Amino acid sequence: MVAPSDMDDETEALIRQLQQQDAAEYNRSRGLGRRERKAPEVYVPPPPGVGTLAKSDRPPESAKKDEGRRETRGRDQRDTRASTPAKSGGSTKSATQSAEKPAGGRASKTAEAPQSGGRSSRSRDASASTKPPLEGYVLHQEDIWKKVTPRPGGGDHCDIIYKRFDPATREEQPFHDCNRIGEYAKGENMKSLRSVTAVNRYLERRSKQKAKADRKAAAPKSAEK
């Protein structure tokens, strides 16, 4: 090692600086120069009832939300009522009801006047048209009635007969210009038919004849106009 008296000032200062750096590195390796770290402070809440509300006394989050919704709804309703003008000349439902009620009792319903003559003519006609002209007959269509008779010996087979009856007089009428299968036969009248197919043919032909007669009746009126 060089004696201090044999070194100049710059060399001595450089050696001293190197020695300090070596000492600092040695201390860091041993942990002597490391800064001590303090443990983080743990928050300790105050006991219940001191300074803040206890957990059991705090309102739930759902109650806070519901209260906020109620306040918002009530504010909107107040704004709506304030912005809606009252109708002039009108009356509320309660005022109308109170006006209709007589003083000292409940409002009495206006009694409807009974119809003169009892049942209407329409109801009488309807009941008359659905009443069987003969025992065992049921209405099939328009003025045609049918009677279903089970065949002797049981089973699902049965006999069906179709007849015409005048709606007004309830008298039996024949099938005019008709054969047994419902086809057109001039001058031939059938007292009854035995199949629904024959009845449908007769009704279709009669409907066409009625429509043709109505067109002829309306033709002179249109010509006069």
Side-chain angles (χ1 to χ4, degrees), residues 123-174:
S123 61
R124 287 196 300 269
D125 295 342
S127 61
S129 61
T130 55
K131 183 179 179 181
L134 294 176
E135 185 179 358
Y137 281 83
V138 294
L139 183 62
H140 173 67
Q141 189 175 354
E142 296 183 7
D143 60 344
I144 299 177
W145 296 71
K146 69 178 180 179
K147 181 179 181 181
V148 181
T149 305
R151 292 181 181 178
D156 298 334
H157 298 286
C158 57
D159 295 326
I160 304 176
I161 184 172
Y162 296 88
K163 287 189 176 184
R164 287 185 62 235
F165 292 92
D166 188 277
T169 63
R170 316 293 292 172
E171 295 180 356
E172 185 176 347
Q173 301 291 330

Side-chain angles (χ1 to χ4, degrees), residues 61-180:
E61 295 295 331
S62 59
K64 294 181 181 180
K65 293 181 180 179
D66 295 340
E67 185 177 358
R69 293 195 189 98
R70 285 196 296 270
E71 292 180 357
T72 304
R73 191 181 302 112
R75 186 166 54 254
D76 295 341
Q77 291 177 355
R78 289 194 298 271
D79 296 342
T80 304
R81 287 197 297 268
S83 61
T84 304
K87 295 182 179 179
S88 60
S91 60
T92 60
K93 184 177 181 181
S94 59
T96 305
Q97 292 177 352
S98 60
E100 291 177 354
K101 291 183 179 179
R106 296 175 58 186
S108 59
K109 294 183 179 180
T110 305
E112 297 180 357
Q115 296 181 357
S116 60
R119 299 173 62 187
S120 62
S121 59
R122 181 179 300 178
S123 61
R124 287 196 300 269
D125 295 342
S127 61
S129 61
T130 55
K131 183 179 179 181
L134 294 176
E135 185 179 358
Y137 281 83
V138 294
L139 183 62
H140 173 67
Q141 189 175 354
E142 296 183 7
D143 60 344
I144 299 177
W145 296 71
K146 69 178 180 179
K147 181 179 181 181
V148 181
T149 305
R151 292 181 181 178
D156 298 334
H157 298 286
C158 57
D159 295 326
I160 304 176
I161 184 172
Y162 296 88
K163 287 189 176 184
R164 287 185 62 235
F165 292 92
D166 188 277
T169 63
R170 316 293 292 172
E171 295 180 356
E172 185 176 347
Q173 301 291 330
F175 292 88
H176 297 289
D177 298 331
C178 179
N179 59 11
R180 64 181 183 84

